[in-house]
Amino acid sequence: MVQQLFTQDSLFDLQTVIDYGQSVINVAQELAKVLIDNRPLSTKTVQAQMNRYFLGTAASGAWQWKDAYEAVEVAQILYLRQKGYKLLLESPLTVLLELEKLVALCPTQTRRSEESVQLQQFSTPLPLAYLVAKAAFIKADDLMLEPSAGTGLLAQMAKLHSASLMLNELAPDRTKILRRLFPGTPLFSVNAEQINDYLVGKTQPSVVLMNPPFSASPKINSRNPDATPRHINSALQRLADGGRLVTITANWFSPNNPTWRETFVRWHSEARVLLSVGVSGKVYSKHGTTIDTRITVIDKVPADNHRQIPCIPETLDLPELLALIEQLPQRSSWERSEKVKAAAKAIVVQLPFRTTVAQPETVSSLPDDIVVLEYEVVEWSATEGLKDTLYETYRPQRIRIKDALPHPSLLCESAALALVSPPPPTYKPHLPRNIVSQGLLSEAQIESVIYAGQAHCEFLSGSYIVDDSWDNVTVAAQGEENAVRFRRGWFLGDGTGAGKGRQCAGIILDNWCQGRQKAIWVSKSSALIEDARRDWCALGGDAKDIIDLSNIKLGDPIPFTQGILFCTYSTLRSQKNGKSRLKQIVEWAGKYFEGAIAYDECHSMGNAMAQEGKLGMVAASQQGIVGLRLQNALPSARVIYVSATGATIVSNLSYANRLGLWQTGDFPFTSREDFVESIEGGGIAAMEIVARDLKALGLYLARSLSFIRYIKDSTNLKVLVLAT
């Protein structure tokens, strides 16, 4: 980081070049003194030391809070260098508890930089790093590779066991820290998805400890779940025969997840998966998230049975995880000879399954046969021009899905919308095979799943600052702290009979099959929970997956780690004695929630802003305000708006922040107020233009049931399509 200092009465500008890596180390050395004294490390202390060594404040741009959090993590490493060797002489449980106490002294990481979000830079919490290293059974003669080294927390754990290190880190700033922190250690700066290719000819490591990005790849803006297996596969190829790989992944990357089952089976033919176990999300609370993770242990020795892969589905706390890791077998020495191969097979034993469930869980019984849905994209053009009918028979304009059934009832679309084609999609949903083969979703309904997924792969233009009340959203300056990006939403405007609930269930199911097994379903009436359960179960889900929020006491933590949380708009806005349902939901979802939020009958949030009425100003509705707050609190959520009357009254779109109709530059409206005022002046014709534009962007579909009536005259037989 470079800071320019200008002095008066000088012919030249004085430029001071800050050594970023050394400055972080300097700050960390000061912070480590506080930790060694067993004193809490306050944000004020961190800020003061950052200002001192970076010659300026965060407000002036001299440093970012991400840099400060890196310094806190390095301070933990320096603490280990002074006290870690002695600490490791204690019992493993004592070590674990002491490390948890150390982390508790540090401030919570609440602010992210654009780079940290894009590359998913979540360092390994120190207690978890200890367990990962323990699972590897590291010895003094080991060479340990960490393909995504971050700030070096995992590397330092291996160093405490006297192993030699080989590190890789793509982020330039973190590379500068590692170079100062581990001088003389081989350090590479390449995309770890191809680490094996880049390190051809280098010494092969006997141990790999890794915490790769879960679903992010360099230069790919959209979420990329394939990143995890690519990182592991490349590292596994680089690992020496008989070596051990221990990796932290998202909890959805599991042998029990049908999406990834075959990936584990392929690895299991060349290497033996010893353990796959979930880790409670609270382990990451100090790192600013509560996402559940998973530890997988793989020995590069042949497996006896390629399809028997030990997997523990539930998530464990760290003491439980420690007890399980202590049952792991020692690493096997293995060479490529049939005799030693057989010996290696005998040494590695399968861990027993753990059957005790620590907390109530929702259990899904979705079909195991998950497929990536393929379809054909077709060309389309409005060759016939505008007709004298109000409605046209509907069929998906840009896609053809093999073996998909048409909708049970004939669908139609307004003639104005029928002249507009949505863009050709590229998104491919993950769905059980029987969704198509048994016609559980019609072709038109699957089209909705595809276009919703397409929209959810994108983010709105620009970055924004959301205040603590979740009410006010302002455009952020480039590089501003605490800035967030909002994931684009999608609008389903189908009429009665088109199966809006079934389509919501289909969109949630697509996310569910990709590991995002938390969703929020907001509806108008509590009685509609039975409709939600009916639609979810019709697609192969379990009724227990639908969680009724009204059955959970206000203010109590929601005790489910997965499921579809159902609540009404009136429940959503309820609060008492400083406790609110909204806060309860946000805490359950987590700040970095990426699952679906379905706003069924979303016109119930109409009038989300104050407007001029016949008798003066009309206050914004509480339902609309709270609906907006939920969207603002969870910027990465996949929002679905569902209403048959969404494009009839302009106030019925005032809650639809995620469509990018205002403030983003995608449409010529600077604010919500500007949008409402402009469209109100144009009346229903202006709303029709908005609907056409949204469909052309792939953000809106509106179909209705139709009746066909035949009228015979003297010349021919005419068919009229009339809307319901």
Side-chain angles (χ1 to χ4, degrees), residues 175-192:
T175 302
K176 294 172 185 175
I177 295 172
L178 292 170
R179 188 167 286 114
R180 291 285 187 177
L181 203 54
F182 299 96
T185 297
L187 177 60
F188 307 94
S189 187
V190 300
N191 180 4

Side-chain angles (χ1 to χ4, degrees), residues 444-626:
Q445 291 172 330
I446 296 175
E447 179 189 31
S448 296
V449 177
I450 292 171
Y451 275 106
Q454 180 90 6
H456 292 155
C457 286
E458 303 172 355
F459 284 81
L460 299 179
S461 303
S463 298
Y464 302 89
I465 297 294
V466 181
D467 70 359
D468 293 337
S469 68
W470 302 324
D471 278 328
N472 301 307
V473 178
T474 55
V475 178
Q478 187 173 6
E480 189 168 350
E481 295 176 16
N482 300 326
V484 298
R485 298 186 67 195
F486 288 108
R487 189 183 299 277
R488 194 178 295 279
W490 188 76
F491 203 117
L492 177 61
D494 284 356
T496 303
K500 295 191 291 294
R502 183 74 66 93
Q503 292 174 74
C504 282
I507 295 168
I508 292 172
L509 178 60
D510 173 30
N511 285 279
W512 191 282
C513 292
Q514 296 184 60
R516 295 182 286 273
Q517 295 182 350
K518 278 186 179 181
I520 302 168
W521 192 321
V522 189
S523 196
K524 184 168 63 173
S525 166
S526 59
L528 293 175
I529 190 172
E530 296 306 322
D531 291 350
R533 285 178 173 145
R534 176 202 64 205
D535 291 322
W536 179 246
C537 292
L539 299 185
D542 193 304
K544 292 183 292 184
D545 290 330
I546 309 288
I547 305 164
D548 189 348
L549 182 62
S550 64
N551 291 335
I552 301 172
K553 186 178 178 181
L554 176 63
D556 285 356
I558 299 173
F560 301 98
T561 58
Q562 67 178 43
I564 303 167
L565 193 65
F566 184 94
C567 71
T568 63
Y569 291 102
S570 57
T571 301
L572 186 63
R573 72 170 187 259
S574 61
Q575 54 184 343
K576 186 177 181 181
N577 298 329
K579 301 175 182 178
S580 73
R581 287 294 190 185
L582 178 62
K583 184 177 180 182
Q584 186 182 31
I585 292 171
V586 171
E587 288 177 348
W588 174 75
K591 183 178 179 181
Y592 301 101
F593 172 73
E594 293 188 340
I597 302 178
Y599 287 106
D600 191 18
E601 306 291 348
C602 59
H603 52 267
S604 298
M605 296 188 293
N607 304 316
M609 55 170 281
Q611 297 181 81
E612 183 74 33
K614 293 181 180 180
L615 300 177
M617 291 298 294
V618 178
S621 72
Q622 286 301 307
Q623 288 186 173
I625 291 172
V626 176

Side-chain angles (χ1 to χ4, degrees), residues 11-24:
L11 295 176
F12 303 97
D13 292 337
L14 176 65
Q15 185 182 65
T16 302
V17 180
I18 300 285
D19 183 325
Y20 176 83
Q22 187 58 54
S23 297
V24 170

Side-chain angles (χ1 to χ4, degrees), residues 111-350:
R111 313 178 201 190
R112 302 279 171 208
S113 69
E114 187 172 335
E115 179 189 63
S116 65
V117 172
Q118 184 178 357
L119 297 180
Q120 295 181 346
Q121 293 176 331
F122 289 92
S123 299
T124 308
L126 206 54
L128 187 59
Y130 167 68
L131 294 183
V132 168
K134 186 170 182 60
F137 286 84
I138 298 174
K139 304 184 296 292
D141 59 350
D142 276 322
L143 173 61
M144 192 282 294
L145 167 66
E146 188 180 357
S148 303
T151 54
L153 289 165
L154 276 172
Q156 183 58 43
M157 279 297 173
K159 195 73 175 174
L160 289 179
H161 292 84
S162 303
S164 300
L165 305 181
M166 184 161 60
L167 306 179
N168 178 72
E169 173 55 46
L170 185 62
D173 282 349
R174 287 185 159 187
T175 302
K176 294 172 185 175
I177 295 172
L178 292 170
R179 188 167 286 114
R180 291 285 187 177
L181 203 54
F182 299 96
T185 297
L187 177 60
F188 307 94
S189 187
V190 300
N191 180 4
E193 292 175 65
Q194 293 91 38
I195 192 74
N196 183 52
D197 299 324
Y198 283 113
L199 300 189
V200 168
K202 303 292 182 183
T203 305
Q204 287 186 288
S206 53
V207 172
V208 173
L209 304 183
M210 58 192 302
N211 180 8
F214 295 167
S215 56
S217 295
K219 301 181 181 179
I220 297 179
N221 292 328
S222 60
R223 186 177 183 274
N224 179 27
D226 289 330
T228 290
R230 287 176 182 170
H231 278 270
I232 297 174
N233 187 61
S234 190
L236 196 56
Q237 292 180 56
R238 176 75 347 216
L239 182 65
D241 294 334
R244 178 167 290 183
L245 180 150
V246 187
T247 181
I248 301 168
T249 68
N251 193 35
W252 48 257
F253 190 71
S254 162
N256 277 7
N257 186 336
T259 303
W260 306 110
R261 171 73 182 172
E262 289 305 315
T263 300
F264 281 89
V265 170
R266 285 196 301 272
W267 289 339
H268 212 54
S269 62
E270 292 292 333
R272 187 181 185 98
V273 179
L274 296 178
L275 175 67
S276 175
V277 57
V279 182
S280 171
K282 64 185 181 182
V283 173
Y284 267 89
S285 59
K286 278 291 184 177
H287 288 251
T289 183
T290 55
I291 184 174
D292 290 340
T293 52
R294 177 163 288 269
I295 284 183
T296 303
V297 182
I298 305 175
D299 272 1
K300 198 168 180 180
V301 298
D304 294 322
N305 189 318
H306 293 173
R307 304 198 72 85
Q308 288 186 0
I309 304 174
C311 179
I312 297 171
E314 60 265 25
T315 58
L316 309 185
D317 292 332
L318 293 187
E320 295 178 296
L321 186 59
L322 171 62
L324 199 62
I325 286 173
E326 289 182 319
Q327 299 178 39
L328 282 170
Q330 294 284 340
R331 284 159 45 199
S332 306
S333 58
W334 177 64
E335 298 174 358
R336 290 190 176 276
S337 70
E338 294 303 319
K339 181 178 179 181
V340 184
K341 271 186 182 180
K345 291 183 184 180
I347 292 172
V348 181
V349 297
Q350 183 173 336

